[in-house]
Amino acid sequence: MSDKATNYQCPSCTGPLHYDGAAGRLQCDYCGSSFDPAEIEKLYAEKEQQAASQSETGSDTGEWQSSADEDWGTDADKMRVYSCPSCGAQLICEETTAATSCPYCGNPTVIPEQFSGILKPDYILPFKLSKEDAIKALKKHYLKKPLLPSTFSKANHLEEIKGVYVPFWMYDGEASGSVRFHATTVHKYTSGDYEITETSHYDVRRAGSIAFEKIPVDASSKMPDDYMDSIEPYDYTELKPFSTAYLPGFLADKYDVSVEDSRDRANRRCAGSLVNALEKTVTGYASCNETGRSIQLKRGKVHYALLPVWILNTRWEGKDFLFAMNGQTGKLVGNLPVSTKRVIGLFAAIAALFVAISVTAILLMAR
């Protein structure tokens, strides 16, 4: 049985609406009208109430029998079927999909049931940067990479680019405790014909506490955790109360990693915030390394939010390369290929320079 899906249509011409991050409004590509998300959300809530009061029921008999209903395999439990409100096509999506587009009519489709009741996020951070901004950022990322193969930026093919609202848990609380560091100072001086390096070692201890608010941990198993951590921070002053009106034109998932399963990552991030803050107070040393810690966490409220991420996939010489960009700030991360020839050339240049310096030193000593 199909679940309910929604297309946000223009009240003026019934064309599909999509959210424009730059304008902060829902835009119609057909008539050019624009609307405030709250205005459209209210309009559709009224339509749903009217439809519920006018609904009719019926039944058919003599259905065709199909073996497809018997067993779809283990993957069936992870899939859901929805009907496109615009053309009636059946959309088969993963169970966590909350916003997508119809492959037949192309209209943005939102599945509100994925965000109802306890599944409803507290906040959403709307996209601010466009697909074009993401492509420009990727091309800029290629620049000034001396070990990047010369043909990569010209020959790689952009396989896919998609804007995704990624689910995040946000943790409030406080961390307190003490951290122990091993620090050194280095003093160099000459004595006669000798150059002496004197290293002093110190046992440095720091203690304190820090309150944290909305420490983010991504709640999607499909997103690489290191990428999601690397594109931070987000500007939380632009967080909005959640509304599905921000979703059209983008993909969105509901969480599939629970608060409990994210607890260890949250603990590490919160404790790490205190250690970093205390380490910054250890100044005036040549080196500083943590040797021990004793930290207590006071856990507070957990918020549920959707944050904007552009995902870009490129392909070059049969290999896939994934990039992620913060949809609000433009910070982009991703792995690039390395040219073996350029690595060899770089080492050869360094070796040649070292040999030249050594020969010069020997000649000077021989005089």
Side-chain angles (χ1 to χ4, degrees):
M1 189 174 186
S2 299
D3 290 319
K4 186 177 180 182
T6 297
N7 288 141
Y8 284 97
Q9 297 176 332
C10 175
S12 301
C13 71
T14 71
L17 295 173
H18 71 276
Y19 183 76
D20 186 330
R25 296 172 67 84
L26 286 160
Q27 305 279 5
C28 176
D29 292 331
Y30 289 86
C31 68
S33 299
S34 67
F35 305 89
D36 182 83
E39 177 184 0
I40 296 298
E41 185 81 356
K42 180 179 178 181
L43 176 63
Y44 269 76
E46 294 173 352
K47 285 186 176 182
E48 289 180 359
Q49 290 179 354
Q50 294 176 1
S53 63
Q54 298 173 1
S55 62
E56 296 179 355
T57 60
S59 61
D60 295 322
T61 59
E63 297 289 342
W64 294 99
Q65 300 299 313
S66 171
S67 60
D69 294 332
E70 296 175 3
D71 183 15
W72 282 8
T74 56
D75 290 340
D77 293 335
K78 300 179 181 179
M79 307 301 290
R80 295 292 183 271
V81 181
Y82 306 96
S83 294
C84 175
S86 295
C87 68
Q90 299 293 291
L91 310 178
I92 301 178
C93 309
E94 293 186 17
E95 61 180 350
T96 58
T97 299
T100 183
S101 61
C102 176
Y104 298 96
C105 67
N107 286 342
T109 301
V110 177
I111 305 164
E113 286 78 4
Q114 296 283 46
F115 296 131
S116 61
I118 61 173
L119 299 177
K120 182 178 180 180
D122 301 300
Y123 304 104
I124 186 170
L125 188 60
F127 273 87
K128 195 171 184 178
L129 300 176
S130 66
K131 179 186 294 187
E132 291 72 23
D133 294 324
I135 295 173
K136 289 179 182 178
L138 181 61
K139 292 180 178 179
K140 186 178 179 181
H141 188 63
Y142 297 158
L143 300 177
K144 299 180 180 180
K145 299 293 190 297
L147 300 182
L148 184 69
S150 58
T151 59
F152 179 79
S153 59
K154 298 179 181 179
N156 84 87
H157 179 61
L158 188 60
E159 293 284 326
E160 185 180 29
I161 176 171
K162 53 188 179 182
V164 184
Y165 278 110
V166 179
F168 276 79
W169 299 118
M170 294 177 167
Y171 295 82
D172 295 345
E174 181 179 313
S176 60
S178 61
V179 183
R180 188 172 179 176
F181 301 96
H182 172 250
T184 63
T185 58
V186 178
H187 177 54
K188 294 183 178 181
Y189 60 93
T190 58
S191 177
D193 295 333
Y194 298 95
E195 181 178 296
I196 300 173
T197 300
E198 184 180 277
T199 302
S200 301
H201 299 264
Y202 301 88
D203 181 21
V204 181
R205 304 188 185 194
R206 293 288 189 270
S209 63
I210 184 173
F212 49 85
E213 184 177 355
K214 296 184 177 65
I215 296 290
V217 174
D218 69 278
S220 172
S221 61
K222 295 188 287 293
M223 292 296 169
D225 293 341
D226 54 345
Y227 278 37
M228 296 300 99
D229 292 347
S230 298
I231 62 174
E232 295 176 21
Y234 287 91
D235 180 4
Y236 291 155
T237 62
E238 297 183 359
L239 280 173
K240 308 287 186 184
F242 177 77
S243 168
T244 55
Y246 292 104
L247 302 181
F250 301 99
L251 302 178
D253 280 344
K254 71 175 183 181
Y255 70 87
D256 62 354
V257 181
S258 68
V259 172
E260 292 74 19
D261 291 338
S262 301
R263 181 183 298 273
D264 288 342
R265 278 192 67 206
N267 290 344
R268 290 194 299 270
R269 299 207 69 187
C270 295
S273 297
L274 175 61
V275 173
N276 291 336
L278 294 177
E279 186 173 0
K280 289 180 180 178
T281 68
V282 183
T283 59
Y285 297 94
S287 67
C288 176
N289 297 289
E290 180 190 349
T291 58
R293 66 172 70 177
S294 175
I295 296 176
Q296 298 78 42
L297 297 178
K298 182 179 179 182
R299 299 176 180 86
K301 189 173 182 180
V302 181
H303 311 274
Y304 179 27
L306 299 184
L307 303 183
V309 179
W310 282 106
I311 300 295
L312 304 95
N313 288 285
T314 66
R315 189 168 182 81
W316 181 72
E317 294 190 349
K319 296 181 180 180
D320 295 316
F321 296 88
L322 176 68
F323 302 87
M325 189 185 90
N326 186 313
Q328 180 197 41
T329 67
K331 185 177 180 181
L332 184 142
V333 298
N335 293 323
L336 292 170
V338 174
S339 169
T340 303
K341 292 181 179 179
R342 292 195 174 190
V343 171
I344 294 174
L346 178 62
F347 277 104
I350 293 174
L353 179 61
F354 177 77
V355 170
I357 293 174
S358 299
V359 170
T360 301
I362 292 173
L363 293 175
L364 290 174
M365 291 176 64
R367 290 181 180 180

